[in-house]
Amino acid sequence: MAASLRSPGWYRAALWTAIGFVFAFALVVGIRAAADFGVVVQWDSIITVALVTMPIFFLYGIGCFDTWLYWISGRPTKPDDHSDHGAHSWKDYFKVNTDHKVIGIQYIVTTFFFFMIGGLFAMIFRAELLQPGMQFIDAQTFNGLFSAHAALMIFVFMVPVFAGIANYVLPLMLGAPDMAFPRLNALSFWFLPCAGIMFLASFLAPGGAFATGWTAYAPLSDQAPLGQTFFSMGVQFAGASSIATAINFLVTIITMRAPGMTFWRMPLLGWANFATSLLVVLATPFIAGSQFMILFDRALGMNFFDAAQGGDTVMYQHVFWFYSHPAVYIMVLPGFGIISEIISANARKPVFGYRMMAFSLLAIVVLGFAVWAHHMFVAPMQNWIRIPMMFTTMLIAVPTGVKIFSWLGTMWRGVIHLRTPMIWALGFMTMFVLGGISGVMLAVVPFDIAVSDTYFVVAHFHYVLFGGSLFTIFAGIYHWFPKMTGRMYNETLGKWHFWTTFIAFNATFAPQHLVGLEGMPRRVADYAEQFAAWNMFISISSFVLGASMLIFIYNMVYSWRSGPIAPANPWNAHTLEWQVSSPPPIFNFDDVPTVVGHPYEYGVPGARHGIFKEPEPVVAAVAGDSSTTSTDEGEPAPA
Amino acid sequence: MEAASAAHAEHHGHMPVANASAKINREYFGMVLFIVSEIMLFASFFTAYFFIRVVQGEPWMPEGQELPVYVAMANSAILFSSSATMHWALEGLKHNNRKAFKTGLVLTLILGSTFLGVQISEYVHLGFLPKDSAQASVFFSLTGIHGAHVAVGLIVLATVTRRAFKGHYGPEKDKHWGVEIPGLYWHFVDVMWVFVFTSLYLL
């Protein structure tokens, strides 16, 4: 027992999390006693400090800092023998691991755990909205539920799940043995459960969960009960996680590509994550700043947002949206990359307008920083900001349109294989265009003012985030499932999952456009009698939507345990990750391959993307059947 | 499958060396990107400063909350000279002058700690608190976050100094990054102070 408390792991993590709490208690009470306040036990302050110390002490206990502390203490560092690479049993996924493939799966499973809880919250408040009047929960709980729903979905699902998929796929795709900073990669993953658990734990705080929405507008969030601190602190951890991952991706993409892989021979998933990481590094510090200001106001009594003391509440919205608008691109650009891979491989054609696809990503990055105030058309900001922001918001539809038409051009006269990932990709395209069109409608200032804070807005962002981003996530997970697990998913269940989700999704969110236009306000627990019929329909559809996720979970769990063994390259794709075994060897490659051509030359006779050294005989038995025998119009994989 | 992948693993027992597709050192580049994100964190607080002072037109600072410009000026000089000694230490290392290397690091530590000490003493003697006005909140936040960065820099440099006295690092190409990268961070902290000092004390 004593030994297990000294070595990294869950016992030491539990011990140190407890020590973190004691430390926070002693610090707050001790400082006040030392400053002649006497012995005061004020739980608000103690919990605020504990929200910093407990996660950090937990991260030490689980073992995120061990190697670094070894270095800091001045002892000679052990050369890294990479003995912790790979996962040999399910228990290895619960340890600190520096292998990007293990971290990728840790990311995906953890984020889907929070996704399920966030979805459950949505169904609870949809149950409340089934009928007018108050039935199950009070208004404060309702506010807490929709706030936690948004916080979980955005900060610990949508943003990090893309980091998880890219973590797994990108180093393989680029021909790199691992990410540039494997230990930082592990640390960024372990920040996430800290953030997610903080959002959930806020329900236990006195006064209930944070109830100010995910936007946490000041001064409401300044005056909210203690649960708000859980939100602000959780965002700091999630933000630190995404900044660290973005730095890791940028360094990996720029300095670790295989020989011959110029930027113009890089798969579009690499481009998409390059663009996303630029956004994260530049924008995420702004939400950290906004939440620091809230924390300073709440914990240190500062007055950033107290107008009587010269504070400025509109400033909060500017700082917040300067991150949170680019954040919607952080939540969809990696999806664009996934869709490009899938459509090209399943339509057996090169990506149409490859360079334009890359340039349009960069255009979105640049324009994404110039549209934030369209969230503030009803805020008391300067009037002259509105029209330029309306113009840039409409302009950003142009690079997005370039991408949509390029995907259509890719499919034009292709040999389309309607496998599950492809169906999700097609579903994404239709739904995202609908969400994009209502986005252009919302860019128009008078229309936006009319429907501000109604269900029309809710419908819009669920079409882009659920019908858009989440569909790309499902597409990506089905597409790379054989590579990640070494087994095939069940094609029939995959298609059932798609059609139930697709229909229930539209039944849930399409009517919200109508009730929104009629003026039903969002974020309110009760509503007028006239909306009753539609709301009952929406609520029932949302339960079907929730149930459709069970098909996905069953398919994933069942296929991972006992699906048919996957070949190395079931889709006959050209990118490098498909040229190694499924699942890939522990160090990805024996020797880094040389890239000699474009990644999407499907249907071009004799086209090669990567060339591997002649494999050893044993390897050939396992992985050698991939690149040499791939034919371009190959049969769909057995499922 | 398990057996196959285990046999597989044995034949892939070594980690291949990643191709260097750019000439820049990976750790150095990572620090550059980290500094970019740090600049944006400061920028978010400068946005608060801008909105309160320029857009709202609040007086800077409010009546009775004057800032000690000359003390801060002298303190700035101390911080800027620590950038010079840091550079001296790195040049000493690159030219295999261990004495200059170690002296430079120790001087940097002393100057940096002095800056931090003076800053804390300034907080104590200002005569107003962060809660007294929005301007005071901005002042304490910007200088406080900068001070936190100085403190982190001092911890990292103290580690480097300790290892320097143990004989680590060398003039070879791959053995000076452990000094150069913390040095880059230290220069960033100094340059950021130019903006903090100018906008809070001078303008």
Side-chain angles (χ1 to χ4, degrees), chain A residues 401-432:
Chain A
V402 168
K403 303 200 76 73
I404 298 282
F405 283 109
S406 291
W407 288 320
L408 291 174
T410 308
M411 285 189 289
W412 178 252
R413 302 184 70 176
V415 183
I416 295 176
H417 296 287
L418 281 178
R419 304 171 185 122
T420 305
M422 186 62 173
I423 298 179
W424 280 104
L426 298 175
F428 154 79
M429 280 178 65
T430 50
M431 294 301 99
F432 190 76

PDB file of all heavy atoms in Angstrom, chain A residues 401-432:
ATOM      1  N   GLY A 401     -18.670  28.260 -48.426  1.00  0.00           N
ATOM      2  CA  GLY A 401     -19.303  27.806 -49.659  1.00  0.00           C
ATOM      3  C   GLY A 401     -18.298  27.150 -50.599  1.00  0.00           C
ATOM      4  O   GLY A 401     -18.611  26.159 -51.262  1.00  0.00           O
ATOM      5  N   VAL A 402     -17.068  27.717 -50.643  1.00  0.00           N
ATOM      6  CA  VAL A 402     -16.015  27.097 -51.455  1.00  0.00           C
ATOM      7  C   VAL A 402     -15.837  25.643 -51.048  1.00  0.00           C
ATOM      8  O   VAL A 402     -15.721  24.750 -51.891  1.00  0.00           O
ATOM      9  CB  VAL A 402     -14.688  27.880 -51.301  1.00  0.00           C
ATOM     10  CG1 VAL A 402     -13.528  27.102 -51.889  1.00  0.00           C
ATOM     11  CG2 VAL A 402     -14.795  29.240 -51.961  1.00  0.00           C
ATOM     12  N   LYS A 403     -15.857  25.390 -49.751  1.00  0.00           N
ATOM     13  CA  LYS A 403     -15.658  24.025 -49.275  1.00  0.00           C
ATOM     14  C   LYS A 403     -16.828  23.130 -49.682  1.00  0.00           C
ATOM     15  O   LYS A 403     -16.638  22.020 -50.171  1.00  0.00           O
ATOM     16  CB  LYS A 403     -15.480  23.993 -47.756  1.00  0.00           C
ATOM     17  CG  LYS A 403     -14.341  24.851 -47.265  1.00  0.00           C
ATOM     18  CD  LYS A 403     -13.873  24.454 -45.902  1.00  0.00           C
ATOM     19  CE  LYS A 403     -13.045  23.215 -45.947  1.00  0.00           C
ATOM     20  NZ  LYS A 403     -11.714  23.419 -46.509  1.00  0.00           N
ATOM     21  N   ILE A 404     -18.051  23.646 -49.505  1.00  0.00           N
ATOM     22  CA  ILE A 404     -19.227  22.837 -49.860  1.00  0.00           C
ATOM     23  C   ILE A 404     -19.183  22.472 -51.341  1.00  0.00           C
ATOM     24  O   ILE A 404     -19.374  21.312 -51.726  1.00  0.00           O
ATOM     25  CB  ILE A 404     -20.523  23.622 -49.534  1.00  0.00           C
ATOM     26  CG1 ILE A 404     -20.622  23.929 -48.034  1.00  0.00           C
ATOM     27  CG2 ILE A 404     -21.747  22.873 -50.041  1.00  0.00           C
ATOM     28  CD1 ILE A 404     -21.055  22.783 -47.180  1.00  0.00           C
ATOM     29  N   PHE A 405     -18.892  23.461 -52.199  1.00  0.00           N
ATOM     30  CA  PHE A 405     -18.893  23.172 -53.635  1.00  0.00           C
ATOM     31  C   PHE A 405     -17.721  22.271 -54.003  1.00  0.00           C
ATOM     32  O   PHE A 405     -17.832  21.453 -54.926  1.00  0.00           O
ATOM     33  CB  PHE A 405     -18.885  24.476 -54.434  1.00  0.00           C
ATOM     34  CG  PHE A 405     -20.237  25.135 -54.455  1.00  0.00           C
ATOM     35  CD1 PHE A 405     -20.474  26.311 -53.757  1.00  0.00           C
ATOM     36  CD2 PHE A 405     -21.282  24.536 -55.143  1.00  0.00           C
ATOM     37  CE1 PHE A 405     -21.731  26.885 -53.750  1.00  0.00           C
ATOM     38  CE2 PHE A 405     -22.542  25.110 -55.143  1.00  0.00           C
ATOM     39  CZ  PHE A 405     -22.768  26.287 -54.452  1.00  0.00           C
ATOM     40  N   SER A 406     -16.605  22.386 -53.293  1.00  0.00           N
ATOM     41  CA  SER A 406     -15.485  21.495 -53.585  1.00  0.00           C
ATOM     42  C   SER A 406     -15.843  20.049 -53.235  1.00  0.00           C
ATOM     43  O   SER A 406     -15.449  19.130 -53.953  1.00  0.00           O
ATOM     44  CB  SER A 406     -14.242  21.925 -52.814  1.00  0.00           C
ATOM     45  OG  SER A 406     -13.763  23.139 -53.328  1.00  0.00           O
ATOM     46  N   TRP A 407     -16.586  19.869 -52.141  1.00  0.00           N
ATOM     47  CA  TRP A 407     -16.997  18.493 -51.801  1.00  0.00           C
ATOM     48  C   TRP A 407     -17.950  17.959 -52.865  1.00  0.00           C
ATOM     49  O   TRP A 407     -17.853  16.812 -53.279  1.00  0.00           O
ATOM     50  CB  TRP A 407     -17.667  18.456 -50.428  1.00  0.00           C
ATOM     51  CG  TRP A 407     -16.706  18.647 -49.296  1.00  0.00           C
ATOM     52  CD1 TRP A 407     -15.446  18.125 -49.207  1.00  0.00           C
ATOM     53  CD2 TRP A 407     -16.910  19.401 -48.102  1.00  0.00           C
ATOM     54  NE1 TRP A 407     -14.848  18.522 -48.039  1.00  0.00           N
ATOM     55  CE2 TRP A 407     -15.727  19.301 -47.338  1.00  0.00           C
ATOM     56  CE3 TRP A 407     -17.967  20.156 -47.606  1.00  0.00           C
ATOM     57  CZ2 TRP A 407     -15.582  19.921 -46.098  1.00  0.00           C
ATOM     58  CZ3 TRP A 407     -17.822  20.774 -46.371  1.00  0.00           C
ATOM     59  CH2 TRP A 407     -16.638  20.656 -45.635  1.00  0.00           C
ATOM     60  N   LEU A 408     -18.883  18.831 -53.306  1.00  0.00           N
ATOM     61  CA  LEU A 408     -19.784  18.406 -54.375  1.00  0.00           C
ATOM     62  C   LEU A 408     -18.989  18.062 -55.631  1.00  0.00           C
ATOM     63  O   LEU A 408     -19.243  17.050 -56.299  1.00  0.00           O
ATOM     64  CB  LEU A 408     -20.806  19.515 -54.671  1.00  0.00           C
ATOM     65  CG  LEU A 408     -21.850  19.769 -53.578  1.00  0.00           C
ATOM     66  CD1 LEU A 408     -22.705  20.976 -53.934  1.00  0.00           C
ATOM     67  CD2 LEU A 408     -22.725  18.539 -53.391  1.00  0.00           C
ATOM     68  N   GLY A 409     -17.985  18.902 -55.932  1.00  0.00           N
ATOM     69  CA  GLY A 409     -17.159  18.647 -57.107  1.00  0.00           C
ATOM     70  C   GLY A 409     -16.369  17.359 -56.973  1.00  0.00           C
ATOM     71  O   GLY A 409     -16.117  16.656 -57.949  1.00  0.00           O
ATOM     72  N   THR A 410     -15.965  17.044 -55.727  1.00  0.00           N
ATOM     73  CA  THR A 410     -15.236  15.796 -55.501  1.00  0.00           C
ATOM     74  C   THR A 410     -16.136  14.597 -55.803  1.00  0.00           C
ATOM     75  O   THR A 410     -15.690  13.603 -56.370  1.00  0.00           O
ATOM     76  CB  THR A 410     -14.760  15.733 -54.038  1.00  0.00           C
ATOM     77  OG1 THR A 410     -14.060  16.935 -53.735  1.00  0.00           O
ATOM     78  CG2 THR A 410     -13.848  14.540 -53.819  1.00  0.00           C
ATOM     79  N   MET A 411     -17.408  14.709 -55.442  1.00  0.00           N
ATOM     80  CA  MET A 411     -18.302  13.573 -55.626  1.00  0.00           C
ATOM     81  C   MET A 411     -18.812  13.462 -57.056  1.00  0.00           C
ATOM     82  O   MET A 411     -19.254  12.399 -57.478  1.00  0.00           O
ATOM     83  CB  MET A 411     -19.510  13.707 -54.679  1.00  0.00           C
ATOM     84  CG  MET A 411     -19.156  13.383 -53.247  1.00  0.00           C
ATOM     85  SD  MET A 411     -20.617  13.307 -52.235  1.00  0.00           S
ATOM     86  CE  MET A 411     -21.086  15.003 -52.136  1.00  0.00           C
ATOM     87  N   TRP A 412     -18.756  14.564 -57.786  1.00  0.00           N
ATOM     88  CA  TRP A 412     -19.324  14.620 -59.141  1.00  0.00           C
ATOM     89  C   TRP A 412     -18.742  13.504 -60.003  1.00  0.00           C
ATOM     90  O   TRP A 412     -17.555  13.432 -60.228  1.00  0.00           O
ATOM     91  CB  TRP A 412     -19.029  16.000 -59.726  1.00  0.00           C
ATOM     92  CG  TRP A 412     -19.511  16.196 -61.119  1.00  0.00           C
ATOM     93  CD1 TRP A 412     -18.754  16.269 -62.249  1.00  0.00           C
ATOM     94  CD2 TRP A 412     -20.859  16.370 -61.538  1.00  0.00           C
ATOM     95  NE1 TRP A 412     -19.529  16.472 -63.329  1.00  0.00           N
ATOM     96  CE2 TRP A 412     -20.849  16.537 -62.942  1.00  0.00           C
ATOM     97  CE3 TRP A 412     -22.089  16.394 -60.858  1.00  0.00           C
ATOM     98  CZ2 TRP A 412     -22.006  16.725 -63.687  1.00  0.00           C
ATOM     99  CZ3 TRP A 412     -23.237  16.585 -61.586  1.00  0.00           C
ATOM    100  CH2 TRP A 412     -23.200  16.751 -62.993  1.00  0.00           C
ATOM    101  N   ARG A 413     -19.583  12.617 -60.468  1.00  0.00           N
ATOM    102  CA  ARG A 413     -19.223  11.491 -61.325  1.00  0.00           C
ATOM    103  C   ARG A 413     -18.197  10.574 -60.676  1.00  0.00           C
ATOM    104  O   ARG A 413     -17.430   9.907 -61.355  1.00  0.00           O
ATOM    105  CB  ARG A 413     -18.721  11.982 -62.684  1.00  0.00           C
ATOM    106  CG  ARG A 413     -19.762  12.838 -63.390  1.00  0.00           C
ATOM    107  CD  ARG A 413     -19.360  13.248 -64.752  1.00  0.00           C
ATOM    108  NE  ARG A 413     -19.357  12.120 -65.686  1.00  0.00           N
ATOM    109  CZ  ARG A 413     -19.103  12.253 -66.993  1.00  0.00           C
ATOM    110  NH1 ARG A 413     -18.800  13.433 -67.471  1.00  0.00           N
ATOM    111  NH2 ARG A 413     -19.129  11.218 -67.778  1.00  0.00           N
ATOM    112  N   GLY A 414     -18.177  10.566 -59.356  1.00  0.00           N
ATOM    113  CA  GLY A 414     -17.326   9.612 -58.652  1.00  0.00           C
ATOM    114  C   GLY A 414     -18.046   8.282 -58.492  1.00  0.00           C
ATOM    115  O   GLY A 414     -19.245   8.168 -58.761  1.00  0.00           O
ATOM    116  N   VAL A 415     -17.276   7.263 -58.061  1.00  0.00           N
ATOM    117  CA  VAL A 415     -17.890   5.971 -57.771  1.00  0.00           C
ATOM    118  C   VAL A 415     -18.175   5.959 -56.280  1.00  0.00           C
ATOM    119  O   VAL A 415     -17.310   5.651 -55.469  1.00  0.00           O
ATOM    120  CB  VAL A 415     -16.944   4.820 -58.153  1.00  0.00           C
ATOM    121  CG1 VAL A 415     -17.620   3.478 -57.912  1.00  0.00           C
ATOM    122  CG2 VAL A 415     -16.515   4.951 -59.589  1.00  0.00           C
ATOM    123  N   ILE A 416     -19.397   6.342 -55.908  1.00  0.00           N
ATOM    124  CA  ILE A 416     -19.657   6.619 -54.500  1.00  0.00           C
ATOM    125  C   ILE A 416     -20.015   5.332 -53.756  1.00  0.00           C
ATOM    126  O   ILE A 416     -20.908   4.594 -54.149  1.00  0.00           O
ATOM    127  CB  ILE A 416     -20.784   7.663 -54.367  1.00  0.00           C
ATOM    128  CG1 ILE A 416     -20.288   8.982 -54.958  1.00  0.00           C
ATOM    129  CG2 ILE A 416     -21.169   7.845 -52.903  1.00  0.00           C
ATOM    130  CD1 ILE A 416     -21.305  10.068 -54.979  1.00  0.00           C
ATOM    131  N   HIS A 417     -19.266   5.061 -52.701  1.00  0.00           N
ATOM    132  CA  HIS A 417     -19.555   3.919 -51.827  1.00  0.00           C
ATOM    133  C   HIS A 417     -20.324   4.445 -50.631  1.00  0.00           C
ATOM    134  O   HIS A 417     -19.778   5.182 -49.823  1.00  0.00           O
ATOM    135  CB  HIS A 417     -18.256   3.257 -51.352  1.00  0.00           C
ATOM    136  CG  HIS A 417     -17.460   2.664 -52.466  1.00  0.00           C
ATOM    137  ND1 HIS A 417     -17.818   1.518 -53.107  1.00  0.00           N
ATOM    138  CD2 HIS A 417     -16.326   3.075 -53.059  1.00  0.00           C
ATOM    139  CE1 HIS A 417     -16.940   1.227 -54.042  1.00  0.00           C
ATOM    140  NE2 HIS A 417     -16.018   2.167 -54.036  1.00  0.00           N
ATOM    141  N   LEU A 418     -21.587   4.058 -50.494  1.00  0.00           N
ATOM    142  CA  LEU A 418     -22.396   4.608 -49.410  1.00  0.00           C
ATOM    143  C   LEU A 418     -22.194   3.815 -48.125  1.00  0.00           C
ATOM    144  O   LEU A 418     -23.111   3.194 -47.607  1.00  0.00           O
ATOM    145  CB  LEU A 418     -23.872   4.626 -49.806  1.00  0.00           C
ATOM    146  CG  LEU A 418     -24.275   5.781 -50.729  1.00  0.00           C
ATOM    147  CD1 LEU A 418     -25.731   5.664 -51.096  1.00  0.00           C
ATOM    148  CD2 LEU A 418     -24.010   7.123 -50.066  1.00  0.00           C
ATOM    149  N   ARG A 419     -20.970   3.839 -47.606  1.00  0.00           N
ATOM    150  CA  ARG A 419     -20.720   3.232 -46.305  1.00  0.00           C
ATOM    151  C   ARG A 419     -21.123   4.234 -45.222  1.00  0.00           C
ATOM    152  O   ARG A 419     -21.328   5.419 -45.490  1.00  0.00           O
ATOM    153  CB  ARG A 419     -19.243   2.895 -46.155  1.00  0.00           C
ATOM    154  CG  ARG A 419     -18.709   2.001 -47.249  1.00  0.00           C
ATOM    155  CD  ARG A 419     -17.194   1.932 -47.108  1.00  0.00           C
ATOM    156  NE  ARG A 419     -16.593   1.195 -48.196  1.00  0.00           N
ATOM    157  CZ  ARG A 419     -15.661   1.723 -49.011  1.00  0.00           C
ATOM    158  NH1 ARG A 419     -15.260   2.952 -48.858  1.00  0.00           N
ATOM    159  NH2 ARG A 419     -15.157   0.989 -49.977  1.00  0.00           N
ATOM    160  N   THR A 420     -21.182   3.736 -43.989  1.00  0.00           N
ATOM    161  CA  THR A 420     -21.660   4.583 -42.891  1.00  0.00           C
ATOM    162  C   THR A 420     -20.938   5.935 -42.803  1.00  0.00           C
ATOM    163  O   THR A 420     -21.597   6.967 -42.709  1.00  0.00           O
ATOM    164  CB  THR A 420     -21.559   3.822 -41.564  1.00  0.00           C
ATOM    165  OG1 THR A 420     -22.269   2.600 -41.706  1.00  0.00           O
ATOM    166  CG2 THR A 420     -22.139   4.621 -40.434  1.00  0.00           C
ATOM    167  N   PRO A 421     -19.588   5.981 -42.844  1.00  0.00           N
ATOM    168  CA  PRO A 421     -18.957   7.310 -42.725  1.00  0.00           C
ATOM    169  C   PRO A 421     -19.396   8.242 -43.844  1.00  0.00           C
ATOM    170  O   PRO A 421     -19.589   9.445 -43.620  1.00  0.00           O
ATOM    171  CB  PRO A 421     -17.458   7.010 -42.838  1.00  0.00           C
ATOM    172  CG  PRO A 421     -17.301   5.557 -42.637  1.00  0.00           C
ATOM    173  CD  PRO A 421     -18.592   4.906 -42.988  1.00  0.00           C
ATOM    174  N   MET A 422     -19.572   7.700 -45.055  1.00  0.00           N
ATOM    175  CA  MET A 422     -19.972   8.535 -46.189  1.00  0.00           C
ATOM    176  C   MET A 422     -21.386   9.069 -45.994  1.00  0.00           C
ATOM    177  O   MET A 422     -21.671  10.229 -46.301  1.00  0.00           O
ATOM    178  CB  MET A 422     -19.875   7.698 -47.457  1.00  0.00           C
ATOM    179  CG  MET A 422     -20.115   8.486 -48.723  1.00  0.00           C
ATOM    180  SD  MET A 422     -18.871   9.772 -48.933  1.00  0.00           S
ATOM    181  CE  MET A 422     -19.301  10.350 -50.559  1.00  0.00           C
ATOM    182  N   ILE A 423     -22.260   8.230 -45.442  1.00  0.00           N
ATOM    183  CA  ILE A 423     -23.631   8.698 -45.211  1.00  0.00           C
ATOM    184  C   ILE A 423     -23.637   9.835 -44.198  1.00  0.00           C
ATOM    185  O   ILE A 423     -24.329  10.836 -44.356  1.00  0.00           O
ATOM    186  CB  ILE A 423     -24.517   7.538 -44.735  1.00  0.00           C
ATOM    187  CG1 ILE A 423     -24.574   6.473 -45.808  1.00  0.00           C
ATOM    188  CG2 ILE A 423     -25.922   8.024 -44.413  1.00  0.00           C
ATOM    189  CD1 ILE A 423     -25.401   5.286 -45.420  1.00  0.00           C
ATOM    190  N   TRP A 424     -22.823   9.668 -43.153  1.00  0.00           N
ATOM    191  CA  TRP A 424     -22.730  10.754 -42.171  1.00  0.00           C
ATOM    192  C   TRP A 424     -22.181  12.010 -42.836  1.00  0.00           C
ATOM    193  O   TRP A 424     -22.600  13.124 -42.531  1.00  0.00           O
ATOM    194  CB  TRP A 424     -21.828  10.350 -40.992  1.00  0.00           C
ATOM    195  CG  TRP A 424     -22.519   9.499 -39.994  1.00  0.00           C
ATOM    196  CD1 TRP A 424     -22.372   8.162 -39.828  1.00  0.00           C
ATOM    197  CD2 TRP A 424     -23.466   9.920 -38.997  1.00  0.00           C
ATOM    198  NE1 TRP A 424     -23.172   7.722 -38.804  1.00  0.00           N
ATOM    199  CE2 TRP A 424     -23.847   8.771 -38.276  1.00  0.00           C
ATOM    200  CE3 TRP A 424     -24.028  11.147 -38.661  1.00  0.00           C
ATOM    201  CZ2 TRP A 424     -24.765   8.812 -37.228  1.00  0.00           C
ATOM    202  CZ3 TRP A 424     -24.937  11.189 -37.621  1.00  0.00           C
ATOM    203  CH2 TRP A 424     -25.297  10.031 -36.923  1.00  0.00           C
ATOM    204  N   ALA A 425     -21.212  11.841 -43.730  1.00  0.00           N
ATOM    205  CA  ALA A 425     -20.636  13.009 -44.396  1.00  0.00           C
ATOM    206  C   ALA A 425     -21.694  13.713 -45.246  1.00  0.00           C
ATOM    207  O   ALA A 425     -21.768  14.944 -45.257  1.00  0.00           O
ATOM    208  CB  ALA A 425     -19.447  12.585 -45.261  1.00  0.00           C
ATOM    209  N   LEU A 426     -22.517  12.928 -45.939  1.00  0.00           N
ATOM    210  CA  LEU A 426     -23.566  13.545 -46.746  1.00  0.00           C
ATOM    211  C   LEU A 426     -24.608  14.215 -45.846  1.00  0.00           C
ATOM    212  O   LEU A 426     -25.083  15.318 -46.147  1.00  0.00           O
ATOM    213  CB  LEU A 426     -24.236  12.492 -47.636  1.00  0.00           C
ATOM    214  CG  LEU A 426     -23.306  11.832 -48.659  1.00  0.00           C
ATOM    215  CD1 LEU A 426     -24.041  10.722 -49.392  1.00  0.00           C
ATOM    216  CD2 LEU A 426     -22.784  12.851 -49.646  1.00  0.00           C
ATOM    217  N   GLY A 427     -24.932  13.561 -44.743  1.00  0.00           N
ATOM    218  CA  GLY A 427     -25.848  14.169 -43.779  1.00  0.00           C
ATOM    219  C   GLY A 427     -25.295  15.476 -43.255  1.00  0.00           C
ATOM    220  O   GLY A 427     -26.012  16.480 -43.146  1.00  0.00           O
ATOM    221  N   PHE A 428     -23.993  15.478 -42.978  1.00  0.00           N
ATOM    222  CA  PHE A 428     -23.343  16.714 -42.521  1.00  0.00           C
ATOM    223  C   PHE A 428     -23.539  17.821 -43.543  1.00  0.00           C
ATOM    224  O   PHE A 428     -23.894  18.939 -43.202  1.00  0.00           O
ATOM    225  CB  PHE A 428     -21.854  16.460 -42.281  1.00  0.00           C
ATOM    226  CG  PHE A 428     -21.005  17.688 -42.425  1.00  0.00           C
ATOM    227  CD1 PHE A 428     -20.935  18.627 -41.406  1.00  0.00           C
ATOM    228  CD2 PHE A 428     -20.299  17.931 -43.599  1.00  0.00           C
ATOM    229  CE1 PHE A 428     -20.169  19.769 -41.541  1.00  0.00           C
ATOM    230  CE2 PHE A 428     -19.539  19.069 -43.740  1.00  0.00           C
ATOM    231  CZ  PHE A 428     -19.475  19.985 -42.717  1.00  0.00           C
ATOM    232  N   MET A 429     -23.279  17.502 -44.819  1.00  0.00           N
ATOM    233  CA  MET A 429     -23.328  18.571 -45.827  1.00  0.00           C
ATOM    234  C   MET A 429     -24.709  19.200 -45.915  1.00  0.00           C
ATOM    235  O   MET A 429     -24.837  20.433 -45.952  1.00  0.00           O
ATOM    236  CB  MET A 429     -22.913  18.016 -47.187  1.00  0.00           C
ATOM    237  CG  MET A 429     -21.407  17.920 -47.299  1.00  0.00           C
ATOM    238  SD  MET A 429     -20.902  17.218 -48.855  1.00  0.00           S
ATOM    239  CE  MET A 429     -21.471  18.468 -49.976  1.00  0.00           C
ATOM    240  N   THR A 430     -25.751  18.374 -45.919  1.00  0.00           N
ATOM    241  CA  THR A 430     -27.102  18.944 -46.021  1.00  0.00           C
ATOM    242  C   THR A 430     -27.445  19.764 -44.776  1.00  0.00           C
ATOM    243  O   THR A 430     -27.918  20.894 -44.878  1.00  0.00           O
ATOM    244  CB  THR A 430     -28.135  17.825 -46.200  1.00  0.00           C
ATOM    245  OG1 THR A 430     -27.901  16.840 -45.192  1.00  0.00           O
ATOM    246  CG2 THR A 430     -28.002  17.175 -47.552  1.00  0.00           C
ATOM    247  N   MET A 431     -27.167  19.198 -43.613  1.00  0.00           N
ATOM    248  CA  MET A 431     -27.562  19.883 -42.380  1.00  0.00           C
ATOM    249  C   MET A 431     -26.741  21.145 -42.169  1.00  0.00           C
ATOM    250  O   MET A 431     -27.235  22.167 -41.712  1.00  0.00           O
ATOM    251  CB  MET A 431     -27.397  18.953 -41.176  1.00  0.00           C
ATOM    252  CG  MET A 431     -28.327  17.770 -41.164  1.00  0.00           C
ATOM    253  SD  MET A 431     -30.061  18.247 -41.179  1.00  0.00           S
ATOM    254  CE  MET A 431     -30.476  18.072 -42.894  1.00  0.00           C
ATOM    255  N   PHE A 432     -25.445  21.078 -42.509  1.00  0.00           N
ATOM    256  CA  PHE A 432     -24.598  22.244 -42.279  1.00  0.00           C
ATOM    257  C   PHE A 432     -24.988  23.386 -43.215  1.00  0.00           C
ATOM    258  O   PHE A 432     -24.930  24.556 -42.829  1.00  0.00           O
ATOM    259  CB  PHE A 432     -23.128  21.867 -42.477  1.00  0.00           C
ATOM    260  CG  PHE A 432     -22.178  22.937 -42.040  1.00  0.00           C
ATOM    261  CD1 PHE A 432     -21.930  23.139 -40.695  1.00  0.00           C
ATOM    262  CD2 PHE A 432     -21.557  23.762 -42.956  1.00  0.00           C
ATOM    263  CE1 PHE A 432     -21.076  24.138 -40.282  1.00  0.00           C
ATOM    264  CE2 PHE A 432     -20.693  24.761 -42.542  1.00  0.00           C
ATOM    265  CZ  PHE A 432     -20.454  24.943 -41.207  1.00  0.00           C
TER     266      PHE A 432
END
